Amino acid sequence: MSESLRRGLRVLAALSDEPATASRIAESHGVSLSTAVRLLQLLTEEGFARRDETGKYHVGSQLLQVAYHVVASMDVREMAAPILRELNTQTGQTVHLGYFENPTVLYVDKYAGRSAVQMYSQIGMPAPLHCTAMGKAVAAFLPEAERIALAGSLDYRMSTDRTITNAEDYLRELDTVRQQGYALNLGEHEAVVSAIAAPVKQPDGRVQYAIDLAAPNVVVGEDELRAFVPRVLAAAADIERVLGY
C-alpha cells in the first residue's frame, strides 16, 4: 500500500471519529499542513470528505454510500438470526424473515412456534403482498408513486372472507401501516392464522426486509396477538441496529 493511500485512509478514520481542521489533521498525523490540506482537498473532490463553514472537515456522502453498500452485501439472514431466535423463544410463536421480491415477499428464514398447530410456511415460499402482514409491511414503505402502481397491478386473489380485494382498500390499509409502523393480518391469508409484521427500514426509508410473528387463531386471540406488537417492533429495530441502519 502506498504511503499516500495509507495516510488518506487514516485521515478518513479520524474524520469518522470527529470533524477536524486541516491543522488538527496535520498535527495528529505527523504531516505538514500542506500535505494535510492536499489530502483533504483530494478526499473532498472525490466526495469522501466535506468542509463546513468553520473550516472543519467531516466524512462525505460518498463514504456513507460505500458503507451502505458494504452493509447491504452482508448476509442479512445471518445477522438477524439471533434476534429472530430470541423473539421466537420469548413468545413461543412462529417468526419469519421476509425479503421483498415484487410482486411477492419471500420467506428467507423461519423459526417454528411451540404450538402443536404449525404454520405451513417454508423458507423460499412466496407470500402475497395484499393479504399477509409481511407483504403489507414491505409495500407500505414504497415511495408513493410506486405504492400506487403496485396497488393497481395486484390481482387481489381472495383467500378468505377477510381478504382485501381492491386497490382502494389496499392503499388505505397501507396508509394505516405507515402511520402505526406495523402491519396486521387477521385471518386474511389463511382463516386460521393471524400475524404481525414490522419493516426493517433502510437509511433511505425503503424496506427490503420485514419480520413477522404468526400464530394460529385457536391458540392466540386477537388481543393477545396485539400484545406482541412491542416485541416485534423492538426486534425489527434491533435488526436495523445490527445492520448499521
Side-chain angles (χ1 to χ4, degrees), residues 34-116:
S34 61
T35 297
V37 169
R38 188 164 58 251
L39 280 171
L40 289 165
Q41 285 179 338
L42 179 59
L43 291 171
T44 300
E45 289 171 4
E46 296 299 322
F48 287 96
R50 63 178 179 84
R51 185 175 184 271
D52 66 22
E53 64 277 3
T54 69
K56 288 185 176 181
Y57 288 85
H58 305 249
V59 293
S61 60
Q62 186 64 26
L63 181 61
L64 298 176
Q65 186 175 2
V66 170
Y68 170 74
H69 285 300
V70 169
V71 170
S73 67
M74 294 177 180
D75 189 340
V76 175
R77 177 181 172 184
E78 180 180 344
M79 297 179 73
I83 298 166
L84 297 177
R85 195 178 299 116
E86 181 179 4
L87 180 62
N88 168 255
T89 300
Q90 288 177 344
T91 64
Q93 307 306 324
T94 298
V95 174
H96 300 98
L97 174 67
Y99 176 78
F100 179 41
E101 185 70 32
N102 195 1
T104 64
V105 60
L106 299 176
Y107 293 118
V108 295
D109 209 354
K110 175 183 178 179
Y111 294 85
R114 292 193 291 266
S115 170

Side-chain angles (χ1 to χ4, degrees), residues 91 93 136 162 173 176 180 182-188 194-197 213-215 217 220-233:
T91 64
Q93 307 306 324
K136 296 176 192 176
R162 290 192 167 192
E173 176 77 356
T176 298
Q180 65 190 14
Y182 64 90
L184 289 172
N185 157 24
L186 301 175
E188 300 166 44
S194 293
I196 307 161
L213 179 151
N217 297 341
V220 176
E222 182 177 338
D223 289 343
E224 187 178 356
L225 182 74
R226 289 179 181 273
F228 289 133
V229 167
R231 289 188 176 185
V232 174
L233 289 173

Side-chain angles (χ1 to χ4, degrees), residues 119-240:
M119 310 289 104
Y120 81 93
S121 57
Q122 297 178 4
I123 294 174
M125 176 183 291
L129 296 178
H130 70 291
C131 60
T132 61
M134 187 87 77
K136 296 176 192 176
V138 296
F141 294 90
L142 289 169
E144 183 177 11
E146 293 181 36
R147 198 163 65 246
I148 292 172
L150 174 68
S153 69
L154 299 178
D155 62 10
Y156 298 102
R157 178 179 176 183
M158 189 170 183
S159 299
T160 76
D161 60 5
R162 290 192 167 192
T163 303
I164 293 173
T165 57
N166 62 77
E168 183 179 355
D169 288 344
Y170 186 55
L171 287 170
R172 189 179 300 114
E173 176 77 356
L174 296 186
D175 285 342
T176 298
V177 173
R178 288 172 67 86
Q179 291 168 12
Q180 65 190 14
Y182 64 90
L184 289 172
N185 157 24
L186 301 175
E188 300 166 44
H189 185 217
E190 300 173 70
V192 296
V193 175
S194 293
I196 307 161
V200 178
K201 294 181 183 178
Q202 298 174 172
D204 61 2
R206 295 180 72 107
V207 174
Q208 197 70 53
Y209 290 88
I211 64 171
D212 79 5
L213 179 151
N217 297 341
V218 294
V219 176
V220 176
E222 182 177 338
D223 289 343
E224 187 178 356
L225 182 74
R226 289 179 181 273
F228 289 133
V229 167
R231 289 188 176 185
V232 174
L233 289 173
D238 285 344
I239 293 172
E240 291 172 356

Side-chain angles (χ1 to χ4, degrees), residues 13-37:
L15 294 181
S16 69
D17 288 334
E18 62 176 339
T21 61
S23 58
R24 175 61 179 161
I25 291 294
E27 179 184 352
S28 61
H29 288 74
V31 298
S32 67
L33 179 59
S34 61
T35 297
V37 169

